[in-house]
């Protein structure tokens, strides 16, 4: 995840809209479905019948599920505690 940039994201469309995801096996299949002319309903069925976004985000099974992400993923370079992030943000106010 820390090496993923906005350019790496898989873009696909389903009945839920246009989605961007960290590249996974599932999202590669969804992108391929879009490119081969599958209907939005077919893409959505595959998207929802496999695993959910919540499962992908929580379980850490990044190969078989999907994890929505935006272009700001390019700026994530390290994993830090919430406390450290808040302390950095508060430095200007102390």
């Amino acid at each position: 995840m820390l090496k993923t940039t906005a350019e790496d994201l898989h873009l696909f469309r389903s009945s839920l809209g246009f989605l961007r995801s960290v590249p996974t096996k599932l999202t590669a299949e969804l992108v391929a479905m879009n490119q081969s002319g599958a209907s939005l309903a077919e893409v959505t069925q595959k998207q929802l019948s496999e695993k959910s976004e919540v499962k992908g985000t929580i379980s850490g099974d990044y190969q078989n599920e999907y994890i929505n992400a935006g272009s700001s993923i390019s700026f994530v370079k390290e994993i830090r505690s919430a406390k450290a992030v808040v302390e950095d943000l508060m430095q200007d106010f102390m």
Side-chain angles (χ1 to χ4, degrees), residues 4-94:
T4 303
T5 68
E7 290 79 26
D8 300 323
L9 298 178
H10 281 168
L11 307 173
F12 64 96
R13 186 173 180 208
S14 75
S15 298
L16 303 176
F18 287 97
L19 300 159
R20 294 178 292 189
S21 174
V22 172
T24 68
K25 179 183 170 198
L26 174 60
T27 58
E29 292 173 15
L30 297 171
V31 169
M33 288 178 75
N34 280 166
Q35 292 172 343
S36 69
S39 71
L40 295 181
E42 291 171 314
V43 175
T44 304
Q45 182 179 9
K46 173 75 172 172
Q47 177 186 5
L48 299 178
S49 69
E50 293 292 321
K51 306 275 180 139
S52 74
E53 171 189 4
V54 173
K55 289 180 183 176
T57 304
I58 294 173
S59 75
D61 184 3
Y62 301 129
Q63 293 307 309
N64 299 304
E65 300 171 4
Y66 73 98
I67 300 96
N68 279 340
S71 58
S72 61
I73 195 166
S74 296
F75 300 106
V76 178
K77 302 296 181 200
E78 64 182 330
I79 297 173
R80 300 177 61 208
S81 70
K83 179 182 178 188
V85 172
V86 171
E87 286 173 352
D88 282 353
L89 292 171
M90 294 303 295
Q91 283 184 5
D92 292 338
F93 297 101
M94 296 180 154

